[in-house]
Amino acid sequence: MTQLTAPQHTATDPSSDPVRWKILVVLLIAVFMSLMSVSVVNVALASIQDALDASQSDIQWVLSGYALTFGVVLVSAGRAGDLMGRGGFFILGVTLFTLASVAAGLAPDAHWLNAARFVQGVGSGFVNPQAVGMIQQYFQGSERGRAFGFFGTTVGVSVAIGPILGGLLIELGGAELGWRLTFLINVPMGLLTIVLALLWFPRPLIHKPKSQHHQGLSSLDPVGALLLGLGVLAVLYPFVETDPSGLLWMLFPAGLLLFYLWARWERWYTRRGYSPMVDLKIFATSSYRNGSIIMTLYFLGMTSVWVLIPLYVQQGLGFSAFEAGMVGIPSALLSAYSANWAGKRVNYYGRKIVIGGLGFAIFGLLCSVAVVLLHEYLGISIWWLLLSLAFFGLGQGSVISPNQTLTLAEVPLAYAGSSGAIMQTGQRIGTSVGIAVITAIVFAVRPYTTWSIAVSLGLLTVTLIILLALAMAFKDLRDRRVL
């Protein structure tokens, strides 16, 4: 049998390796698969509930279980990839995700489906920090901005295609088969990703740390991984639970305490000469600290928009799920375009691109509020939301990828995966907390007013949160000028 051979990256400078663009293709296929899977499943929830006779709680966990395990394993998987080889852990993550997609597509009941979704979340948690770390590893300077721009374009396209593809698969496959196809479609993409990774990723896929005083299990910092994982679990769980009790909310302060203990442990671990899970000195770097806060605040608000708008047009206006998905398509496509545009120019304009993107997002939100209220009181067409949300999409593409490039620019390569994963963990926490809080505000006022007023209040809350992110972006711009 002929053994697979792969190009060897330059020992001194992986960013000069000509295979780096092929590596990026592999990374983007996996990112496309995992994100499209999320947006496809959103459309399929009603069909899943009918086909499996699932409860509302079961359906909630189809989404929440994935988000929970994804957030919990991110940083540990990122650090493991930093130490032992990002390529090997990337392939492991894609393999887990693909096998879990088969299990989900063949699920006989809701419990089986949710177990498969938990494993899918673990797979994505392994893939994402390796993708960010490998972009850091193989691209530098303006090329890194372009690579993250392609990353953002992939995000936009996958989000746009997901609802349409999901609706088409359910239409073609019918009530029983259609929703299963939304999971099984991941299988050919997963297999393609694994084959291309084995062909193109440099050897070795797994390596040993070169300059650690302590190696083996201690270099993975198992206590730090446990403390951080439990902290993320405790913080996220009350927000993803369908109907959390008062006692369950005690997990939130317990999670904050675990974060504090984790930080203390990391400092102690470092002083003892071990390799910490995360080098906390990176938070002294203003670009990383400010960028991580911007990203967390942005996701705290932004993701709620794509919950509120479908809720409004379906429950408030009686649109179908397919029509609701159409409302966001111009926004997603313009997000993909602006991510690519901004990625090519982020090294020249720097934080000004993020500030401009946040300004577009705020303008789009305020215009969307105007459309909703004018539809309610003057009867203008609600389809003007396509235009107002398009401005929001332009902003979204100009914020996420450029901010990622700027935030990670000064992070040491040895901590690229875990540092990127810390930032992504902030995104996951921001997403879960934001959706829970903002939808709670909308449903709290809904009995006393119309859908239009309730959703407008939710969108204005999102606007205030993004204004905080804008203030932090201006702070970072000022800090960079001081330096």
Side-chain angles (χ1 to χ4, degrees):
M1 181 185 235
T2 305
Q3 177 141 8
L4 289 173
T5 59
Q8 300 293 322
H9 63 75
T10 306
T12 56
D13 185 13
S15 65
S16 65
D17 191 332
V19 83
R20 63 192 181 281
W21 293 106
K22 290 183 177 181
I23 292 172
L24 182 63
V25 169
V26 178
L27 302 179
L28 295 185
I29 294 173
V31 169
F32 180 87
M33 174 182 68
S34 63
L35 291 177
M36 188 193 67
S37 177
V38 173
S39 54
V40 164
V41 170
N42 287 341
V43 175
L45 291 177
S47 299
I48 293 171
Q49 187 168 18
D50 292 340
L52 298 183
D53 193 24
S55 67
Q56 190 61 43
S57 177
D58 290 332
I59 292 302
Q60 174 70 21
W61 277 105
V62 171
L63 298 177
S64 299
Y66 177 91
L68 199 62
T69 52
F70 178 74
V72 167
V73 305
L74 264 173
V75 183
S76 299
R79 184 55 180 154
D82 288 340
L83 286 170
M84 300 170 61
R86 298 183 182 105
F89 280 95
F90 176 88
I91 293 172
L92 174 61
V94 174
T95 302
L96 282 174
F97 189 91
T98 305
L99 291 174
S101 296
V102 174
L106 301 178
D109 54 48
H111 297 300
W112 181 288
L113 176 60
N114 280 318
R117 288 289 285 170
F118 276 110
V119 178
Q120 268 193 327
V122 173
S124 279
F126 272 79
V127 167
N128 277 265
Q130 316 313 333
V132 172
M134 291 175 80
I135 290 176
Q136 290 284 100
Q137 178 180 348
Y138 286 97
F139 296 91
Q140 291 182 1
S142 61
E143 280 194 348
R144 184 179 291 175
R146 287 181 62 199
F148 275 124
F150 287 128
F151 190 97
T153 299
T154 302
V155 171
V157 171
S158 62
V159 170
I161 288 177
I164 300 173
L165 183 61
L168 181 63
L169 290 173
I170 291 170
E171 185 73 23
L172 293 175
E176 176 56 35
L177 179 61
W179 70 267
R180 296 183 185 277
L181 293 176
T182 64
F183 292 105
L184 295 175
I185 196 173
N186 296 321
V187 178
M189 285 190 288
L191 292 175
L192 175 64
T193 303
I194 293 167
V195 170
L196 292 181
L198 290 172
L199 287 172
W200 291 344
F201 279 9
R203 300 291 191 268
L205 294 173
I206 300 294
H207 65 79
K208 294 181 180 180
K210 295 178 181 178
S211 58
Q212 306 293 342
H213 296 298
H214 301 273
Q215 298 183 10
L217 184 62
S218 64
S219 66
L220 292 174
D221 187 8
V223 175
L226 181 64
L227 287 172
L228 184 60
L230 289 175
V232 173
L233 178 64
V235 167
L236 285 181
Y237 192 84
F239 292 99
V240 301
E241 175 57 59
T242 310
D243 187 22
S245 63
L247 188 61
L248 198 60
W249 284 109
M250 293 302 295
L251 284 174
F252 184 79
L256 297 180
L257 176 61
L258 285 166
F259 286 155
Y260 171 76
L261 294 175
W262 170 73
R264 293 292 299 269
W265 169 265
E266 294 295 277
R267 291 192 181 97
W268 179 86
Y269 207 63
T270 303
R271 288 197 302 269
R272 291 289 301 271
Y274 290 93
S275 171
M277 186 180 191
V278 175
D279 186 352
L280 296 181
K281 291 178 182 177
I282 61 171
F283 290 103
T285 304
S286 62
S287 60
Y288 181 81
R289 184 179 63 250
N290 294 339
S292 296
I293 294 172
I294 291 168
M295 195 70 90
T296 300
L297 287 171
Y298 186 71
F299 273 78
L300 185 68
M302 177 271 293
T303 45
S304 298
V305 174
W306 304 114
V307 176
L308 294 182
I309 294 298
L311 271 175
Y312 168 61
V313 297
Q314 288 183 83
Q315 297 189 21
L317 303 179
F319 280 29
S320 68
F322 183 75
E323 289 172 320
M326 295 289 289
V327 172
I329 287 176
S331 176
L333 293 177
L334 283 171
S335 174
Y337 168 77
S338 62
N340 187 43
W341 182 92
K344 294 176 180 178
R345 294 163 177 83
V346 65
N347 282 339
Y348 182 78
Y349 293 106
R351 186 59 71 186
K352 292 177 183 177
I353 282 189
V354 177
I355 290 172
L358 291 168
F360 269 116
I362 291 168
F363 178 74
L365 286 169
L366 293 176
C367 288
S368 297
V369 171
V371 169
V372 170
L373 293 178
L374 289 173
H375 174 75
E376 174 78 8
Y377 295 106
L378 296 182
I380 73 162
S381 173
I382 197 62
W383 290 104
W384 280 104
L385 278 176
L386 271 71
L387 178 60
S388 63
L389 290 172
F391 285 105
F392 184 76
L394 278 173
Q396 183 169 309
S398 302
V399 171
I400 297 175
S401 294
N403 186 71
Q404 196 156 348
T405 302
L406 295 167
T407 301
L408 297 175
E410 298 179 64
V411 171
L413 183 58
Y415 286 92
S418 55
S419 298
I422 284 284
M423 186 172 63
Q424 290 181 322
T425 300
Q427 294 173 18
R428 301 282 71 75
I429 292 175
T431 296
S432 298
V433 173
I435 289 174
V437 171
I438 293 170
T439 55
I441 291 172
V442 171
F443 285 119
V445 301
R446 174 64 190 89
Y448 308 103
T449 187
T450 64
W451 265 108
S452 297
I453 297 296
V455 168
S456 295
L457 181 60
L459 293 176
L460 288 173
T461 304
V462 173
T463 304
L464 289 175
I465 294 170
I466 294 182
L467 278 169
L468 292 176
L470 180 61
M472 182 57 65
F474 274 112
K475 178 185 183 302
D476 186 65
L477 183 64
R478 186 178 68 249
D479 289 347
R480 289 169 184 267
R481 285 173 175 169
V482 169
L483 293 174

